[in-house]
């Protein structure tokens, strides 16, 4: 997910995406411990997406 895409979304949409990404990350970690994922770099990408969303939310909070 690109930063430009995140800037177009509303705060509510960002919070929904954040919750969905966090749930997805938990599921991926659990599945990876049981049986290895085909591409374990997906976990890293999910963490980075969560960080990008949190950063955008924080920037909006500071700009108010």
């Amino acid at each position: 997910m690109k930063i430009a895409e995140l800037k177009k979304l509303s705060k509510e949409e960002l919070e929904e995406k954040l919750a969905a990404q966090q749930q997805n990350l938990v599921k991926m970690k659990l599945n990876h411990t049981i049986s290895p994922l085909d591409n374990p770099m997906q976990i890293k990408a999910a963490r980075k997406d969560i960080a990008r969303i949190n950063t955008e939310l924080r920037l909006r909070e500071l700009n108010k």
Side-chain angles (χ1 to χ4, degrees):
M1 185 172 304
K2 303 271 182 172
I3 295 174
E5 295 172 9
L6 294 176
K7 290 185 180 196
K8 295 178 185 177
L9 300 176
S10 69
K11 181 180 177 185
E12 292 78 23
E13 291 172 328
L14 283 173
E15 289 172 347
E16 289 173 10
K17 281 201 175 282
L18 179 62
Q21 283 286 355
Q22 287 174 335
Q23 288 177 350
N24 186 29
L25 179 62
V26 170
K27 287 179 186 177
M28 279 195 295
K29 283 183 177 180
L30 180 63
N31 289 338
H32 187 61
T33 57
I34 295 171
S35 64
L37 293 174
D38 292 335
N39 185 3
M41 294 302 287
Q42 291 173 337
I43 295 172
K44 183 178 178 180
R47 284 197 334 253
K48 285 187 175 191
D49 285 342
I50 290 170
R52 285 186 189 108
I53 294 170
N54 281 329
T55 300
E56 182 60 30
L57 287 170
R58 181 71 176 145
L59 285 174
R60 290 181 185 192
E61 181 182 315
L62 292 174
N63 286 333
K64 282 188 176 181

